[in-house]
């Protein structure tokens, strides 16, 4: 009888230890990769802005502890910088550059447009400081070199790059800020200069073409003087 009770007690203890270990394993915070955290941060920032990205919000989104986010990313400022750098670096590395100057400038314009429209957080960060990302400076210099090949001098090529860059960022800022033209009140749509012509894609294409035609015109004037 005593032996049976001892064996029973041993079985209960073993069962309790097993259950405790299982519960500890089940309750242990799951490990997530740095990239998974960056992807979640991008979703939050694109929707609610960079300031909305915090360890607490990320932890709630991912089902992990804030400390786990901190350990993986190294701090909220580092996380935000890494997020911008990663998104811009990936966009730059995926570009298939043409060889003609118009093609280079147009590819830059559309690439920047698509990046900013997809990730408004990059535009938000760019308003605060220049973008520090792998290939960002190389891209700017590539476009300037291409514009120089068109026949512009160094100053003209630099400012022409700025004109393209500023047009793209301004266009995207307006599109993101105002939303679709059709969402405006009817009286505002009717009074607008864009009442009959409000296709944002056409507007963007026309603007890029206008700038590049201007580059060609300046280059042509320079070659005949």
């Amino acid at each position: 009888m005593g032996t049976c009770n001892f064996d029973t007690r041993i079985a209960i203890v073993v069962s309790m230890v097993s259950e405790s270990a299982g519960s500890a394993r089940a309750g242990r915070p799951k490990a997530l990769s740095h990239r998974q955290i960056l992807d979640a941060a991008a979703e939050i920032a694109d929707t609610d802005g960079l300031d909305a990205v915090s360890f607490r919000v990320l932890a709630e989104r991912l089902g992990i502890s804030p400390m786990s986010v901190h350990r993986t990313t190294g701090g909220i400022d580092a996380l935000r910088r890494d997020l911008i750098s990663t998104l811009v670096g990936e966009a730059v590395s995926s570009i298939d550059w043409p060889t003609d100057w118009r093609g280079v400038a147009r590819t830059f314009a559309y690439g920047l447009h698509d990046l900013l429209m997809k990730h408004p957080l990059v535009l938000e960060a760019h308003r605060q400081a220049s973008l520090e990302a792998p290939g960002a400076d190389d891209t700017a210099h590539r476009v300037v070199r291409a514009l120089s090949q068109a026949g512009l001098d160094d100053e003209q090529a630099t400012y022409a790059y700025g004109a393209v860059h500023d047009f793209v960022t301004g266009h995207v800022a307006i599109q993101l800020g105002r939303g679709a033209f059709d969402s405006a009140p009817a009286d505002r749509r009717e009074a607008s200069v864009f009442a009959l012509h409000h296709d944002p894609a056409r507007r963007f294409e026309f603007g890029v073409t206008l700038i590049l035609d201007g580059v060609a015109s300046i280059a042509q004037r320079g070659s005949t003087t």
Side-chain angles (χ1 to χ4, degrees), residues 3-198:
T3 302
C4 181
N5 289 340
F6 177 77
D7 290 343
T8 300
R9 288 196 296 272
I10 291 296
I12 292 173
V13 170
V14 170
S15 176
M16 291 175 63
V17 170
S18 298
E19 289 178 3
S20 176
S23 298
R25 284 193 297 270
R28 184 180 301 165
K30 59 183 178 182
L32 293 178
S33 69
H34 188 262
R35 184 54 198 244
Q36 288 174 303
I37 293 175
L38 286 183
D39 288 343
E43 292 177 1
I44 295 167
D46 281 335
T47 302
D48 301 318
L50 276 171
D51 288 342
V53 178
S54 68
F55 290 150
R56 179 185 60 79
V57 173
L58 281 167
E60 292 176 355
R61 174 72 63 92
L62 296 169
I64 58 178
S65 70
M67 185 55 66
S68 295
V69 179
H70 185 277
R71 282 197 301 266
T72 303
T73 61
I76 196 65
D77 290 336
L79 169 62
R80 291 172 181 171
R81 287 194 300 270
D82 195 21
L83 175 59
I84 302 301
S85 178
T86 298
L87 293 176
V88 175
E90 289 179 349
V92 169
S93 66
S94 67
I95 296 176
D96 183 13
W97 292 103
T99 56
D100 64 296
W101 73 265
R102 274 186 180 269
V104 170
R106 186 175 293 278
T107 296
F108 165 70
Y110 274 88
L112 181 59
H113 172 274
D114 292 347
L115 171 64
L116 300 182
M117 290 297 293
K118 181 178 181 181
H119 293 294
L121 70 94
V122 177
L123 179 61
E124 179 185 355
H126 199 17
R127 287 171 177 162
Q128 302 170 7
S130 59
L131 297 178
E132 297 182 12
D137 288 334
D138 290 342
T139 296
H141 286 294
R142 179 193 291 268
V143 177
V144 170
R145 286 195 303 270
L147 293 167
S148 296
Q149 293 169 3
L152 303 185
D153 62 32
D154 289 343
E155 181 183 44
Q156 291 171 334
T158 300
Y159 289 150
Y161 160 79
V164 175
H165 172 278
D166 295 350
F167 168 72
V168 174
T169 54
H171 176 88
V172 172
I174 290 173
Q175 292 301 308
L176 292 175
R178 296 181 182 176
F181 181 83
D182 292 339
S183 64
D187 60 334
R188 289 299 307 135
R189 295 199 306 270
E190 293 172 1
S192 173
V193 69
F194 298 109
L196 300 178
H197 310 287
H198 53 264

Side-chain angles (χ1 to χ4, degrees), residues 198-213:
H198 53 264
D199 181 347
R202 175 61 181 148
R203 179 174 171 175
F204 183 78
E205 167 62 23
F206 188 86
V208 172
T209 300
L210 192 65
I211 294 173
L212 299 188
D213 284 351

